[in-house]
Amino acid sequence: MTFSMRRIRAIITKDWKDLLKNSYILVSILLPLGFAAMLSRMSTDDSSMLSMPINLALVMTGAFVQASMMAEEKERSTLRVLLLSPASTLEIMIGKSVLSAIITLIVVIGSILISGINIPELFYFSIMILLSLIIFISLGTIIGLISRTVMETSIVGLPILIIFTYGSMLSSMFNSPIIAESISYLPTENFSSALVSLQGSGGFAEIKWNLLNMLLWAIGSVILAKFIYGKRRLDK
Amino acid sequence: MKYQIEVNQLTKAFANKPALNGVSFQIKRGEIFGFLGPSGSGKTTMVKILTAQLLHTSGSVKVFGNDVRNLQNPEQMKRIGILTDNSGLYDRLTIYDNLELFCKLYNVDVKRIEEVLEEVNLLQDKKTAVKQLSKGMKQRVTLARAILHKPELLFLDEPTSALDPTNKQQIHTVLRKLNEAGTTIFLSTHDMQEAEDLCNQVAFLHNGTIVELDTPQSLRVKHGDSTINIRLKNGTSVTVGLDEAGSNAIRDYMNNGELLTIHSNEPTLGDIFIKLTGRALQ
């Protein structure tokens, strides 16, 4: 198996040049920052609202930017050309994910600064962000691969945006124990819950199950993304 | 290794409908092999199978002496170049930026970009965004990308379909030059003139089956009617055979100063294809 940093850098550089000319993606990057500014003006005690700017940044930038970049590569047949080059699947996957991850991280930091969220335990918080990045970029890759066009990513991705970002709101709307139980397993819910615990001077003992949940989501979403990539890379 | 490509009794079916059926051929190193057939005859399917983009249903396919699936190894991919029917270019990026990506992927010096752009007559447009190019210009960019790393084996799927005669001629010159430097070329086309101009060997594909496989010259001789067409100065045309009577007739026309032109009645590849399949190469 080959692995070349030069090839990965080449894909990242190409994506960066392309992104600067892609208004759809630039808007997707700015939207979460706008939401963060809006939410910072609202006063609430709801724990899920505290982490909403971060979750929005992760879902809208992490998942949607990645999804539209992947879907565009597929729609324009450029992914096929990359696959027919010496770049391996791993190099393409990493190259296609690094830029989305960096942008998402910048938007997450921007959202935190704008909304004034208190981050008490930087170490655990960084782990939570890292796991979330893996989860949402993998989900974005999956959405991008199963969508036929960039426009279709919005349709395919919308349920994910609603469920992952507004999970607790949905739970209270339906007032169903099954829905509430299901939503409690979402990584965004566990992220919110862990953030609240950390803000309440909690440590590893209080957030370990949340971290485990997010770790399992991260592993599962990477495996699923790789599986779907393998299925979609060849013609039938 | 004698053959760059060996295909034996290949079949490919889509939902039990055969697209290729019992296809066999070999391509030697340094050959230009023409795969001729009308649209929908299975040419693109064949290119996709030979480049490991599509799995075949049965039979065997070897490229560089190994099973075609070896091409999924990125190191093997360096040895081939592909021009597909779909450009696969990054529209928002310039021609130069598109080629620069592939220089880095193939570990080729970026100086090579100017060389290939010169060859495909696009050097003056290198800073133009791909979305501003005509279809023919995009086709030349994809060819430039396919030959950037001087591949051992080049797959071309309808490489000049969108080009004007001048650019087509220029691309043919580039392909001949590459071939002279040792590149084996698999050319899938429905342009019979292109095949006649470039190919050492051609295969006619009809309904997923190869109906004829030989050199263009042998095919013309095999399917010719062994006659000569003579045009006289008085405007009439006469057809004579390649026999003693024909020879005498030609001599008489020449001695009497009546002869204007003389042509052998060799069929074109297009004529042969129509004769064999009953349909034109469109």
Side-chain angles (χ1 to χ4, degrees), chain B residues 88-266:
Chain B
L89 294 168
Y90 294 97
D91 278 357
R92 285 182 290 269
L93 300 185
T94 63
I95 293 176
Y96 188 91
D97 286 340
N98 267 278
L99 297 182
E100 189 185 29
L101 166 68
F102 287 87
C103 273
K104 289 174 182 169
L105 293 178
Y106 283 94
N107 201 15
V108 171
D109 193 322
V110 288
K111 285 178 192 161
R112 171 84 178 131
I113 295 174
E114 305 231 332
E115 267 176 49
V116 288
L117 287 180
E118 178 95 66
E119 285 180 340
V120 299
N121 200 18
L122 280 174
L123 187 56
Q124 66 282 10
D125 300 294
K126 68 175 181 179
K127 293 290 174 196
T128 308
V130 166
K131 65 181 169 192
Q132 291 170 348
L133 303 178
S134 68
K135 199 177 171 197
M137 289 166 94
K138 282 183 186 173
Q139 201 161 24
R140 282 184 279 154
V141 180
T142 53
L143 178 65
R145 185 183 62 198
I147 63 174
L148 201 58
H149 57 296
K150 297 179 181 168
E152 278 177 62
L153 178 56
L154 182 61
F155 293 94
L156 303 170
D157 192 4
E158 305 283 2
T160 57
S161 59
L163 300 186
D164 57 70
T166 311
N167 278 309
K168 189 186 273 193
Q169 200 62 44
Q170 187 160 1
I171 296 305
H172 287 177
T173 307
V174 173
L175 295 177
R176 279 194 205 96
K177 202 172 134 193
L178 265 171
N179 180 244
E180 280 162 18
T183 300
T184 306
I185 300 175
F186 181 92
L187 171 69
S188 153
T189 183
H190 68 258
D191 184 338
M192 53 211 148
Q193 192 56 49
E194 182 165 75
E196 276 200 87
D197 288 350
L198 292 172
C199 299
N200 311 112
Q201 200 182 181
V202 292
F204 286 156
L205 190 69
H206 180 58
N207 291 338
T209 307
I210 290 181
V211 290
E212 190 63 278
L213 172 65
D214 213 328
T215 64
Q217 186 55 39
S218 300
L219 286 175
R220 277 194 295 268
V221 170
K222 186 176 168 186
H223 294 279
D225 60 1
S226 303
T227 59
I228 289 174
N229 200 41
I230 296 166
R231 196 171 165 81
L232 303 176
K233 285 179 181 168
N234 64 10
T236 56
S237 289
V238 182
T239 303
V240 297
L242 290 174
D243 50 18
E244 197 180 341
S247 162
N248 291 338
I250 292 168
R251 195 184 57 235
D252 290 345
Y253 289 130
M254 287 180 81
N255 288 341
N256 298 335
E258 293 173 273
L259 188 71
L260 185 65
T261 60
I262 181 164
H263 295 286
S264 62
N265 279 331
E266 281 182 344

Side-chain angles (χ1 to χ4, degrees), chain B residues 35 40 51 69 71 152 180 187 213 253 259 269 271 279:
Chain B
F35 206 60
T51 52
R69 274 167 287 211
L71 281 186
E152 278 177 62
E180 280 162 18
L187 171 69
L213 172 65
Y253 289 130
L259 188 71
L269 291 183
D271 296 334
R279 63 180 288 199

Side-chain angles (χ1 to χ4, degrees), chain A:
Chain A
M1 190 172 194
T2 61
F3 190 81
S4 157
M5 281 308 294
R6 179 178 38 80
R7 287 199 285 263
I8 291 173
R9 268 202 310 274
I11 295 169
I12 297 169
T13 308
K14 180 270 297 173
D15 276 347
W16 173 244
K17 284 181 186 170
D18 201 35
L19 179 123
L20 295 175
K21 294 171 184 168
N22 189 337
S23 52
Y24 176 80
I25 289 185
L26 291 173
V27 170
S28 302
I29 292 168
L30 292 174
L31 266 177
L33 297 173
F35 275 115
M38 209 171 72
L39 289 166
S40 68
R41 294 169 189 272
M42 295 164 64
S43 58
T44 177
D45 292 330
D46 185 344
S47 64
S48 68
M49 292 299 275
L50 280 172
S51 58
M52 188 166 281
I54 300 171
N55 282 335
L56 263 173
L58 287 166
V59 176
M60 291 193 73
T61 313
F64 275 75
V65 166
Q66 179 72 0
S68 61
M69 281 165 74
M70 286 303 290
E72 190 174 25
E73 291 264 16
K74 249 184 70 192
E75 191 180 349
R76 301 263 162 92
S77 301
T78 48
L79 185 63
R80 178 179 299 277
V81 181
L82 282 182
L83 286 165
L84 293 171
S85 79
S88 66
T89 300
L90 185 65
E91 288 162 356
I92 296 171
M93 293 285 275
I94 293 174
K96 294 294 311 166
S97 305
V98 167
L99 188 64
S100 307
I102 293 169
I103 292 166
T104 309
L105 197 58
I106 292 167
V107 175
V108 165
I109 293 168
S111 299
I112 291 168
L113 294 174
I114 290 170
S115 54
I117 299 170
N118 174 33
I119 308 297
E121 280 277 358
L122 195 59
F123 176 72
Y124 291 126
F125 182 75
S126 302
I127 292 173
M128 285 156 57
I129 290 291
L130 177 70
L131 291 172
S132 300
L133 280 175
I134 295 169
I135 294 165
F136 287 103
I137 284 169
S138 302
L139 288 177
T141 304
I142 294 165
I143 295 167
L145 287 172
I146 60 178
S147 305
R148 281 169 300 181
T149 62
V150 176
M151 291 306 288
E152 210 176 273
T153 59
S154 310
I155 301 159
V156 177
L158 195 63
I160 292 176
L161 173 74
I162 293 170
I163 294 167
F164 280 68
T165 317
Y166 305 104
S168 53
M169 284 184 190
L170 288 174
S171 177
S172 54
M173 264 171 65
F174 289 104
N175 200 21
S176 154
I178 298 167
I179 291 175
E181 178 75 9
S182 306
I183 283 172
S184 72
Y185 289 109
L186 290 176
T188 42
E189 288 302 299
N190 281 274
F191 183 94
S192 302
S193 169
L195 185 62
V196 170
S197 300
L198 292 178
Q199 283 176 331
S201 304
F204 179 74
E206 284 74 27
I207 66 166
K208 65 183 177 199
W209 295 115
N210 301 122
L211 286 178
L212 180 66
N213 169 286
M214 291 168 76
L215 179 66
L216 292 175
W217 267 93
I219 294 167
S221 52
V222 167
I223 291 170
L224 189 61
K226 194 172 180 308
F227 174 74
I228 292 174
Y229 185 87
K231 283 266 179 203
R232 302 269 162 156
R233 72 182 294 275
L234 280 176
D235 286 345
K236 294 284 177 287

